[in-house]
Amino acid sequence: MYSRICCLLTLFVFTCHSELGAGEPVWKNFTASPWFAEQISYQHLKPEVRAIIVAPLPRRIAVEKPTRVVFFTTPNGNTIEQTLGCQKQEGRDWHFEIQQIAAQHRQWQAWNPGENLILVCLEAEGLSWPRWRARHPDNPVLIQNIIRSILSEIPLKTPRLTLACHSGGGSFMWGFLNGTDQISEQVDRFLFLDANYSFSVADQHGQKFLNWLQGDEKRCLIVICYDDRNVLFQGKKVIGPTGGTYRATGRMRDRFARELKFQETHSGDLQIATALNGRLTLITHLNPQNRILHTALVGDMNGYLYGMTVNTPPGQQIKLPQGPRQYVRWIQPEPFKEPVVEKAN
């Protein structure tokens, strides 16, 4: 009986919150979200890309403050709704509970009142960015167009950009990098959450990152991976003899070490290699138990929250990607749901 009353009270609170938010002014093509005083906009971009923009309601945005837009690309097999996350519930698809990017983003905003933070989550048709890029050989140009199209929907001037990803979402980042000889000055942070499989010295990825990092002391590149070389699933190795993010991170470090000096520390099972006063951070979970940590690095270990707060003022960051979850109070009860648009007769 007590639990039933609690559930009814929770439903009442969220219903009232929804009704109050629904009448507030929002940006063009946005709708008020039922939770956390946010507004959202679903976008269908050509070719074959679906996106959601999550922004504070206009009354929570201070135009005199700098704005940051985070582009987060989904991992293989996950929708944008699953990637943003919601509360765990019996019978609900487990994908909704593992990453919790929206909740981590809200916790970051609570720690960081000096910026207007806007989150964009991008999904490729077929739920695979590597396959999307294979279908579209001109993907470097398409990726630039997608970013411009999203930014045109946000009525705030000259935002800073952060590009972040998990798993196969890293393919979007390499497409972005392949499409330019010089990374845009608007971008000041990259975050790879077990997503840097395709780092390539031959494609000049290392040189482009180095040129970009050395061009401004505010720029950061954060990579989090784990030792995946001997992980088994159903008795077979998950990673081939040359694949995986552990080896990719090693290639990154070897390339950067030609020009930069790394400092290395350890904390528990984490190996931390940093250069440029921490603006370049490579973290490897050494995984002595050979567990599959692919999603644990993101949600359970606060990977997104850590990556967004590296090299930010004390009080706005967590020291290392590790548990417990720091953002539980910001998890919404239900998934985001795309509005149904009625077609004219």
Side-chain angles (χ1 to χ4, degrees), residues 15 25 33 36 49 97 100 112 153-154 156 187 212 241 243 251 258 269 274 276 278 280 283 286 290-291 310 314 320:
T15 300
S33 169
F36 303 110
V49 172
E97 213 274 323
Q100 299 290 2
N112 179 22
E153 296 293 323
I154 299 170
L156 297 173
V187 180
W212 170 78
R251 295 195 302 274
R258 296 183 202 170
D269 293 333
T274 62
L276 297 173
L280 172 56
I283 293 187
L286 297 176
N290 283 324
R291 295 183 295 144
V310 169
L320 290 170

Side-chain angles (χ1 to χ4, degrees), residues 78-294:
N78 286 228
T79 67
I80 48 181
E81 292 85 2
Q82 291 167 345
T83 300
L84 292 174
C86 64
Q87 288 179 4
K88 187 175 183 179
Q89 188 179 101
E90 185 175 353
R92 177 171 286 162
D93 191 309
W94 60 274
H95 290 89
F96 284 101
E97 213 274 323
I98 55 175
Q99 298 170 90
Q100 299 290 2
I101 298 303
Q104 293 192 64
H105 186 83
R106 293 173 187 129
Q107 180 61 75
W108 176 33
Q109 179 73 90
W111 288 345
N112 179 22
E115 290 184 304
N116 303 310
L117 300 181
I118 296 169
L119 176 61
V120 179
C121 196
L122 296 162
E123 167 198 313
E125 186 172 292
L127 305 185
S128 169
W129 284 104
R131 289 202 298 266
W132 179 85
R133 286 184 62 208
R135 290 196 302 273
H136 303 287
D138 58 342
N139 63 84
V141 173
L142 297 178
I143 287 170
Q144 299 291 338
N145 291 341
I146 287 167
I147 292 174
R148 280 194 292 269
S149 179
I150 290 289
L151 292 179
S152 71
E153 296 293 323
I154 299 170
L156 297 173
K157 296 180 180 179
T158 59
R160 303 167 183 170
L161 302 186
T162 291
L163 302 184
C165 55
H166 175 217
S167 187
S171 185
F172 181 96
M173 302 305 163
W174 304 124
F176 172 85
L177 220 62
N178 292 343
T180 180
D181 293 329
Q182 183 175 335
I183 299 172
S184 169
E185 294 181 357
Q186 202 171 2
V187 180
D188 68 2
R189 185 172 296 247
F190 284 89
L191 171 61
F192 289 86
L193 294 170
D194 210 39
N196 59 328
Y197 300 92
S198 299
F199 173 81
S200 169
V201 174
D203 289 337
Q204 298 297 309
H205 294 160
Q207 190 61 58
K208 291 177 183 181
F209 276 135
L210 282 166
N211 293 343
W212 170 78
L213 282 166
Q214 293 169 337
D216 191 319
E217 292 186 353
K218 295 181 180 178
R219 296 171 183 167
C220 294
L221 169 59
I222 316 299
V223 175
I224 305 175
C225 74
Y226 75 107
D227 190 344
D228 49 9
R229 293 173 297 175
N230 296 307
V231 171
L232 301 178
F233 180 70
Q234 296 181 346
K236 296 181 180 180
K237 285 190 176 183
V238 174
I239 300 299
T242 61
T245 57
Y246 178 89
R247 293 186 178 95
T249 303
R251 295 195 302 274
M252 293 181 85
R253 177 169 176 164
D254 289 346
R255 174 61 189 90
F256 295 143
R258 296 183 202 170
E259 301 179 37
L260 303 175
K261 183 177 180 180
F262 279 92
Q263 293 77 46
E264 185 171 308
T265 58
H266 288 78
S267 179
D269 293 333
L270 298 177
Q271 175 182 287
I272 305 108
T274 62
L276 297 173
N277 296 317
R279 293 192 297 111
L280 172 56
T281 297
L282 309 177
I283 293 187
T284 302
H285 191 295
L286 297 176
N287 195 22
Q289 298 177 334
N290 283 324
R291 295 183 295 144
I292 298 176
L293 299 176
H294 185 57

